[in-house]
């Protein structure tokens, strides 16, 4: 065993977005979730890269407890985190004929009282998996699958961290939202370079007095979705920027829905030179339930779509040709994927590669003009700079 309190399923760290009801690998091949059989929970793996999706149940010898997390790996196995007696025990599950095979990986124990641990989003490549342990004054990144000798401590970050977004396709650059007492209690996004011993650099700082978080990133185009109260102090807004650009972050008025919680969960890949053309899928939680919004930066309109019955809320992915895939499960269809072709308006899209597109752009009216933010620092993403 290598050397957190147990985090209840419904409890979230400050700034963390609502959890999806299933987790999908970075390449979209597999998904995993906890499924319900009567009153008992068990892990289930979904295969998504074949002609039709199908599910494989992976029950253990006893039902899973609240607080258990599952995550698919690139080879089809499922990583499970079981909190027990103050420890977090990790294993890999896989089908073995009629039963479930289990490969124990070891455990993480955080001696500091009040420390919480949760899985980070699936890493690109699918060979490794990471967890974030958050203590009173510092946070730690653990490699919990894919290491040589069980769980390994790979980075320590001063301050309490939340979020977690991969910025590259190598699984090296990890964006975290850090609450740092030295910043006056403000949250700023930082990048942790796992290839350089967990070196921490500033990533997103729009103004000294704002809380600035990174919610989602697309490594192909560099498109970033952020949440910040810079344009409206005391009220957080959704905005977007581009890694490597000199343009300021923008906060479109169409993403402002005062009575709803809007969470981006998928970005269309493959739009290398045209981040403004990327489709973005939004989970919208409002007074009447949850539904799907689709938007792209080139447009000033969110298209609202009814979610398929049984949608595993917050889960989904885009194909490169612009089809949005939403996993769902009902009493009749145990494992389904709704495929939605989104007809975006046929308008010209300015490319970040076009010098004429680099004129300053301000916040959409009627909001007040936002001062040009500090760049995404020249943090170690190969000269990567954000607005």
């Amino acid at each position: 065993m290598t050397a957190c309190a147990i985090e209840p399923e419904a409890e979230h760290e400050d700034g963390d977005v609502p959890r999806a009801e299933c987790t999908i690998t970075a390449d979209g091949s597999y998904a995993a979730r906890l499924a319900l059989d009567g009153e008992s929970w068990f892990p289930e793996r979904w295969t998504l890269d074949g002609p039709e999706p199908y599910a494989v149940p992976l029950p253990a010898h006893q039902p899973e407890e609240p607080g258990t997390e599952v995550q698919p790996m690139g080879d089809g196995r499922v990583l499970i985190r079981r909190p027990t007696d103050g420890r977090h025990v990790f294993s890999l599950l896989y089908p073995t004929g009629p039963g479930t095979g289990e490969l124990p990986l070891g455990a993480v124990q955080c001696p500091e009282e009040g420390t919480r641990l949760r899985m980070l989003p699936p890493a690109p490549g699918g060979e490794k998996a990471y967890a974030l342990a958050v203590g009173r004054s510092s946070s730690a990144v653990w490699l919990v699958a894919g290491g040589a000798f069980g769980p390994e401590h790979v980075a320590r970050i001063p301050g309490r961290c939340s979020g977690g977004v991969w910025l590259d396709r190598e699984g090296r650059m990890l964006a975290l939202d850090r609450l740092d007492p030295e910043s006056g209690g403000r949250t700023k996004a930082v990048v942790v370079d796992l290839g350089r011993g967990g070196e921490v650099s500033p990533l997103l700082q729009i103004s000294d007095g704002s809380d600035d978080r990174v919610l989602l990133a697309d490594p192909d185009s560099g498109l970033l979705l952020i949440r910040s109260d810079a344009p409206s102090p005391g009220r957080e807004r959704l905005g977007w920027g581009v890694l490597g650009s000199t343009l300021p972050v923008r906060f479109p008025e169409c993403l402002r829905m005062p009575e709803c919680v809007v969470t981006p969960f998928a970005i269309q890949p493959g739009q290398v030179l045209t981040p403004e053309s990327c489709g973005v899928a939004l989970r919208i939680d409002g007074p009447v339930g949850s539904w799907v919004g689709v938007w792209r930066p080139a447009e000033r309109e969110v298209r609202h779509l009814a979610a398929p019955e049984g949608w595993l809320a917050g889960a989904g992915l885009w194909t490169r040709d612009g089809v949005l895939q939403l996993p769902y499960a009902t009493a009749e269809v145990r494992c389904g994927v709704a495929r939605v072709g989104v007809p975006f308006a046929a308008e010209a899209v300015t490319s970040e590669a076009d010098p004429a597109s680099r004129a300053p752009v301000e916040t959409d009216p009627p909001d007040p003009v936002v001062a040009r933010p500090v760049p995404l620092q020249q943090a170690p993403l190969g000269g990567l700079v954000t607005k």
Side-chain angles (χ1 to χ4, degrees), residues 8-261:
E9 187 175 11
E11 186 178 354
H12 304 297
E13 299 173 60
D14 291 342
D16 281 349
V17 300
R19 291 184 183 176
E21 294 183 21
C22 81
T23 303
I24 303 174
T25 55
D27 67 357
S29 296
Y30 295 100
R33 67 168 186 144
L34 284 180
L36 191 61
D37 180 12
E39 296 182 355
S40 301
W41 295 95
F42 66 92
E44 188 174 71
R45 185 198 72 192
W46 289 26
T47 299
L48 303 177
D49 60 352
E52 294 293 335
Y54 66 92
V56 176
L58 295 171
H61 61 279
Q62 63 184 30
E64 302 298 340
E65 298 292 333
T68 298
E69 284 186 285
V70 293
Q71 185 172 117
M73 303 296 292
D75 60 4
R77 294 183 293 180
V78 171
L79 176 68
I80 187 167
R81 175 187 72 88
R82 296 184 178 108
T84 175
D85 297 329
R87 300 185 305 154
H88 299 264
V89 181
F90 294 88
S91 296
L92 287 170
L93 307 178
Y94 53 93
T96 56
T100 300
E102 182 165 341
L103 175 64
L105 298 177
V108 173
Q109 183 171 354
C110 302
E112 183 179 329
E113 184 179 355
T115 300
R116 298 189 301 173
L117 183 144
R118 63 172 175 82
M119 298 296 301
L120 286 167
E127 298 177 355
K128 298 180 178 181
Y130 296 86
L132 179 69
V134 183
R136 287 194 297 266
S137 59
S138 66
S139 303
V141 176
W142 287 83
L143 173 64
V144 295
F149 306 104
E152 302 173 13
H153 181 275
V154 295
R156 179 186 177 277
I157 304 100
R160 295 178 59 84
C161 292
S162 58
V165 173
W166 295 103
L167 300 177
D168 63 349
R169 294 209 175 277
E170 286 69 50
R172 172 175 170 174
M173 298 297 182
L174 174 66
L176 293 171
D177 305 322
R178 180 174 66 172
L179 176 62
D180 187 353
E182 295 183 2
S183 67
R186 296 297 182 181
T187 297
K188 304 291 183 183
V190 297
V191 60
V192 181
D193 187 344
L194 300 180
R196 300 184 64 177
E199 180 180 274
V200 180
S201 303
L203 181 63
L204 182 64
Q205 298 185 19
I206 297 180
S207 70
D208 291 339
S210 60
D211 290 314
D212 309 317
R213 297 179 171 91
V214 173
L215 303 182
L216 206 59
D218 173 54
D220 292 337
S221 63
L223 179 64
L224 283 182
L225 275 295
I226 70 149
R227 194 185 304 278
S228 174
D229 62 355
S232 308
R235 294 176 296 160
E236 291 190 333
R237 296 279 305 275
L238 279 180
W240 66 279
V242 181
L243 291 167
S245 169
T246 58
L247 296 177
V249 170
R250 297 195 61 179
F251 295 89
E253 182 67 17
C254 65
L255 297 181
R256 188 176 187 174
M257 303 180 200
E259 296 185 0
C260 300
V261 177

Side-chain angles (χ1 to χ4, degrees), residues 247-288:
L247 296 177
V249 170
R250 297 195 61 179
F251 295 89
E253 182 67 17
C254 65
L255 297 181
R256 188 176 187 174
M257 303 180 200
E259 296 185 0
C260 300
V261 177
V262 183
T263 308
F265 65 87
I267 300 177
Q268 180 184 356
Q271 315 302 300
V272 178
L273 298 178
T274 55
E276 298 93 339
S277 69
C278 291
V280 178
L282 308 167
R283 169 181 175 174
I284 306 175
D285 297 290
V288 296

